[in-house]
Amino acid sequence: MLGLAGRVSPVVSALDGPVPHGVRLDLPAAYVSTSPLSRTLDLLSLLSIPQSVWLLCVFAFLVIAGAAWTARREPPRRVGVRVLRTFLFVFASIVVTEALVILLPRPMAKLVVSDPQVVRVDFHSHTKASHDAYQQFTEERNRDWHQSGGFDIAFITDHVKWWGAMEARPRNPSRAGERVSLLTAVEGHYHKVSTIMLALTREDTAILTGWGELQHGTPSIGRQPVTIAAIPGKIDSVAAAVADTFPQFTGLELVDAAPRGLGQLDSQEHRIREIASRNRLLLVSSSNNHGWGRTVAAWNLIRIPGWRSLSPDSVGRLIEEPFRARDTTAVTIIKRLRPRTHGTGLPFTFPIAASQTIGSLTMPERGVWLAWIWLTTAVVAMRRRRST
């Protein structure tokens, strides 16, 4: 099956079409050698909450039904005991797997772009300065995460907190092309809509309420910040907020890698695109990373000639330009391949996920999967012979 399955790209454009020339997903050797584990944990990281529930329920049903079938000729009490043991095993397996998804240090798949004039950007990420972030996720761990995932620039957008971003700035390279640069920003709110405000610093707290809502005033940067409406959120609230003349939203998240954000993408993508089109907003993606997990859901590609030799702050200002100009074609979103099931389509999550995973395996990965399958089969067979 692994050898015959057709090949599909592990990354797609925002419209689920082919990626631009020279853009590919790179898998380190450690990722390939542990591909069954790496791919499985990546898949679980890319699911919405409803998809995760359905996938785990299907898995539990198949395992428990299999146990009941194999014990069908035994006395009813023994069947019940076996089913109960299997249920407890499945429950423990799910808990351990979810813990691995969140906490296990592991190699990451990263995006590689052959065009040196293209910068890979994350507009929304956190450090331990945010109350809901992993408290070991320092600004340097944030940098390492983005480096491993194939980013060049990442904005630290803690929840009305500044010290994570401010501590990262002195460690930025002198030239942006040398390694990942972390730029300052903040996540606040506008009428209960999560709002990303690029370039603001600690000196700008005077123009923010305690809730993080932007007020009229002149920021320390000398220009109004670029504001991006974030999801997940109530779509009607988002539509009303971005239509206001202040704080003059210029961007809107299409892909937010939080499970709820992915669920909103699956169920309301058409509405999000319609809101962006009506208000001339640039669509972007974000990791919304709080220090949990090792999977990138999407990247933003922006063409900026000569960016590698510029300072990180200069690149940050150039990233703002297409937002201020309302150039809705300036950002290209590249996404990891994932099931897009929702509503009545949720029962098909498992077969679609399995098909996508197998179809997107590289040839070395297929060899690794076959080797692991043969090894597991051999170990099981040996244990059975010893028990008889």
Side-chain angles (χ1 to χ4, degrees), residues 76-97:
R77 181 169 180 172
R78 294 188 63 182
V79 173
V81 170
R82 178 173 292 193
V83 169
L84 178 60
R85 287 178 178 175
T86 303
F87 172 80
L88 294 175
F89 168 77
V90 169
F91 180 80
S93 298
I94 291 173
V95 171
V96 171
T97 301

Side-chain angles (χ1 to χ4, degrees), residues 68-266:
W69 176 257
T70 57
R72 66 189 184 280
R73 295 178 181 174
E74 298 180 5
R77 181 169 180 172
R78 294 188 63 182
V79 173
V81 170
R82 178 173 292 193
V83 169
L84 178 60
R85 287 178 178 175
T86 303
F87 172 80
L88 294 175
F89 168 77
V90 169
F91 180 80
S93 298
I94 291 173
V95 171
V96 171
T97 301
E98 290 298 327
L100 292 176
V101 169
I102 296 172
L103 298 174
L104 181 66
R106 57 188 176 88
M108 293 177 66
K110 67 178 181 180
L111 195 74
V112 174
V113 180
S114 61
D115 187 347
Q117 309 303 325
V118 171
V119 58
R120 299 160 294 181
V121 184
D122 182 10
F123 289 104
H124 181 181
S125 71
H126 296 265
T127 71
K128 65 178 183 178
S130 292
H131 66 277
D132 54 351
Y134 178 44
Q135 289 304 296
Q136 301 299 316
F137 197 57
T138 64
E139 63 279 357
E140 289 309 301
R141 288 192 175 185
N142 179 296
R143 192 191 308 274
D144 292 341
W145 188 92
H146 283 96
Q147 186 79 48
S148 299
F151 287 96
D152 302 301
I153 298 288
F155 288 88
I156 293 183
T157 57
D158 286 319
H159 299 288
V160 203
K161 297 289 192 303
W162 308 100
W163 53 268
M166 299 308 294
E167 290 186 13
R169 290 189 67 181
R171 298 184 177 92
N172 280 340
S174 57
R175 296 189 302 176
E178 294 174 359
R179 67 186 183 117
V180 171
S181 299
L182 301 180
L183 303 182
T184 60
V186 69
E187 180 177 2
H189 291 84
Y190 179 73
H191 290 187
K192 299 184 179 181
V193 173
S194 293
T195 304
I196 306 302
M197 292 166 272
L198 305 185
L200 291 186
T201 67
R202 183 166 46 201
E203 288 71 26
D204 297 311
T205 53
I207 59 172
L208 292 172
T209 66
W211 181 241
E213 187 163 320
L214 187 65
Q215 305 295 299
H216 287 280
T218 303
S220 63
I221 55 176
R223 61 191 185 277
Q224 286 300 310
V226 165
T227 50
I228 300 172
I231 59 171
K234 293 183 178 179
I235 198 67
D236 291 335
S237 297
V238 172
V242 299
D244 280 359
T245 56
F246 186 85
Q248 196 67 63
F249 285 92
T250 54
L252 173 61
E253 284 186 352
L254 175 67
V255 184
D256 183 287
R260 287 178 56 230
L262 294 174
Q264 189 158 5
L265 168 68
D266 294 338

Side-chain angles (χ1 to χ4, degrees), residues 294-314:
R294 301 281 292 175
T295 307
V296 180
W299 299 258
N300 301 284
L301 306 185
I302 304 176
R303 185 175 179 81
I304 302 177
W307 71 270
R308 293 179 178 275
S309 61
L310 301 176
S311 69
D313 287 339
S314 296

Side-chain angles (χ1 to χ4, degrees), residues 250-253 280-284 322-323 326-331:
T250 54
L252 173 61
E253 284 186 352
R280 291 186 62 205
L281 305 177
L282 279 72
L283 288 170
V284 303
F323 289 88
R326 304 281 183 152
D327 182 0
T328 58
T329 64
V331 179

Side-chain angles (χ1 to χ4, degrees), residues 253-280:
E253 284 186 352
L254 175 67
V255 184
D256 183 287
R260 287 178 56 230
L262 294 174
Q264 189 158 5
L265 168 68
D266 294 338
S267 62
Q268 296 183 326
E269 179 177 3
H270 177 76
R271 183 77 189 280
I272 295 171
R273 289 185 179 277
E274 186 271 329
I275 292 171
S277 176
R278 184 171 66 244
N279 296 279
R280 291 186 62 205

Side-chain angles (χ1 to χ4, degrees), residues 1-3 33 35-37 358 361 365-381:
M1 180 179 177
L2 288 171
S33 62
S35 180
L37 176 64
I358 294 173
L361 295 177
E365 283 185 288
R366 296 184 185 212
V368 168
W369 278 65
L370 289 173
W372 278 103
I373 291 172
W374 291 333
L375 178 62
T376 302
T377 302
V379 170
V380 171

